[in-house]
Amino acid sequence: MGEQGPRPVRPRISARASYLIAPLVRPNRLYRAVAARLERMPRALRLFTGLERRGKEALYGCRMCGQCALPATAYACPMTCPKQLRNGPCGGVAANGDCEVHPGQRCVWLIAWERAAATGHDADLALLQRPIDQRLRGTSSWVHYWLGRDEGLWTGAGTVDLGMPRVRP
Ligand code: SF4
């Protein structure tokens, strides 16, 4: 049987915790050196990519698109949308918030909105995500991130606060 299509995933880790953890993987000299080294060592890169997959799959339902949108979507993975929409929900969301393709499961974009609103990151959802490069599927988004390839993944790159959850007034 082939790979199952995406289904909306409610992250198993809160947005608040995700924003707290995010600074730990922010690019720095060490991570850049590690990423560059990994790219020269295919076996090590495969191992690292496998670990990334397991961790992010367990926490976010990651589908290894290779160009991580999580920092701009309140850490709800848009690739778990059955239509893989990266710029908000389709027009088919049910009145109760259920996914059109998988009734009984909440639309991942509503989940993203609720997580963003709860942490003061509502404005992030107005950013426009550019289309992904399909050639990067299955590759390590952390390596791309550390090597600066994610710049321009969404409009206003650099305006997303990757750090602490904001306290609502
Ligand atoms: S790398 Fe892509 S598929 Fe994985 S969590 Fe990030 S956006 Fe979702």
Side-chain angles (χ1 to χ4, degrees):
M1 236 166 71
E3 192 192 358
Q4 282 194 335
R7 302 179 78 94
V9 168
R10 183 180 290 281
R12 293 171 192 92
I13 176 173
S14 70
R16 183 166 292 271
S18 300
Y19 283 114
L20 287 172
I21 292 169
L24 301 178
V25 292
R26 200 175 279 168
N28 57 34
R29 273 178 66 178
L30 175 65
Y31 288 160
R32 271 191 288 278
V34 168
R37 191 78 185 261
L38 282 171
E39 289 210 313
R40 294 195 297 272
M41 303 167 66
R43 283 179 66 176
L45 180 59
R46 266 200 304 280
L47 182 66
F48 180 84
T49 305
L51 291 173
E52 177 181 334
R53 177 192 299 270
R54 288 176 71 165
K56 286 172 64 180
E57 209 171 67
L59 293 177
Y60 302 105
C62 174
R63 299 189 61 85
M64 295 299 283
C65 73
Q67 298 137 96
C68 199
L70 290 180
T73 59
Y75 293 88
C77 174
M79 304 309 283
T80 69
C81 162
K83 302 176 186 178
Q84 303 190 34
L85 300 179
R86 280 171 82 99
N87 282 294
C90 70
V93 184
N96 68 356
D98 277 4
C99 170
E100 176 180 46
V101 181
H102 297 291
Q105 288 186 254
R106 195 154 184 78
C107 167
V108 69
W109 275 105
L110 293 194
I111 294 171
W113 171 255
E114 289 155 359
R115 288 163 66 87
T119 50
H121 283 263
D122 328 38
D124 295 349
L125 299 189
L127 301 170
L128 271 181
Q129 300 270 346
R130 80 164 188 235
I132 60 169
D133 182 343
Q134 302 289 352
R135 294 169 298 183
L136 297 183
R137 277 190 185 267
T139 60
S140 167
S141 70
W142 279 341
V143 165
H144 299 309
Y145 177 45
W146 292 336
L147 291 176
R149 294 175 190 146
D150 279 359
E151 286 162 20
L153 257 189
W154 48 76
T155 55
T159 61
V160 174
D161 178 3
L162 303 178
M164 307 285 281
R166 290 172 204 141
V167 179
R168 294 176 77 74

